[in-house]
Amino acid sequence: MRTAVYPGSFDPITLGHLDIIHRSRAVADRLIVAIMANPRKNTLFSAEERVAQVRKAVAGMKHVQVRTFDGLLVNFAKHVSADVIIRGLRAMSDFEYEFQMSLMNRRLRPESETVLLISAEPWTYLSSSAIKEIVKFGGSVKGLVTPYVEDELRRKFRDGHDFHLST
Ligand code: PNS
């Protein structure tokens, strides 16, 4: 039984993230989507909101669990007995950051192996920040996020949330 963690901010989860969650079946029997509760960047959604969005998106996927974590990812991986860390790669531009992070995580915990999964083509230009920007300025993100996340985004910006996109 191989357990993997799929860490991220998920602010919000997109269909690109869901694609990686589906693909993770090739390398893991059990996947823990690990939502960083307090990432460096300001998030639009609270940890509780992001957990609810991810839980709804993965409902019915028996091999997937959703948790939050704080602090070092490798400590969380150890805590949940995960020997694989999954990250998605959309384009070469993602590579340098992922490469650096995986080597640092390896140094911190050699038992955790990072596996980079390649996104399906329709999601290569998709990012959570682009999603937030589009909704903030009144554009449609239909087909890029789940309907629940779409509603949540609209609610957030309708409520006048002052979100600084540069963060
Ligand atoms: O979706 P993101 O924002 O690209 O995810 C980044 C994340 C949360 C995976 C990364 O920042 C992380 O693992 N943070 C935890 C702190 C940590 O372990 N840092 C050392 C790795 S270089």
Side-chain angles (χ1 to χ4, degrees), residues 7-9 36 40-41 69 71-73 87 97 101 104-105:
S9 313
M36 180 145 206
R40 267 171 299 167
K41 36 193 178 185
F69 78 103
L72 286 182
L73 170 65
R87 291 282 292 172
Y97 173 60
M101 195 158 66
M104 191 53 86
N105 284 332

Side-chain angles (χ1 to χ4, degrees), residues 6-11 17 34-41 69-75 85-87 90 97-98 100-105 108 128:
Y6 177 34
S9 313
F10 302 101
D11 185 45
H17 293 124
I35 302 174
M36 180 145 206
N38 295 304
R40 267 171 299 167
K41 36 193 178 185
F69 78 103
D70 256 320
L72 286 182
L73 170 65
V74 287
N75 290 345
I85 296 170
I86 303 268
R87 291 282 292 172
R90 291 163 298 189
Y97 173 60
E98 298 301 333
Q100 199 179 25
M101 195 158 66
S102 68
L103 288 181
M104 191 53 86
N105 284 332
L108 293 167
S128 297

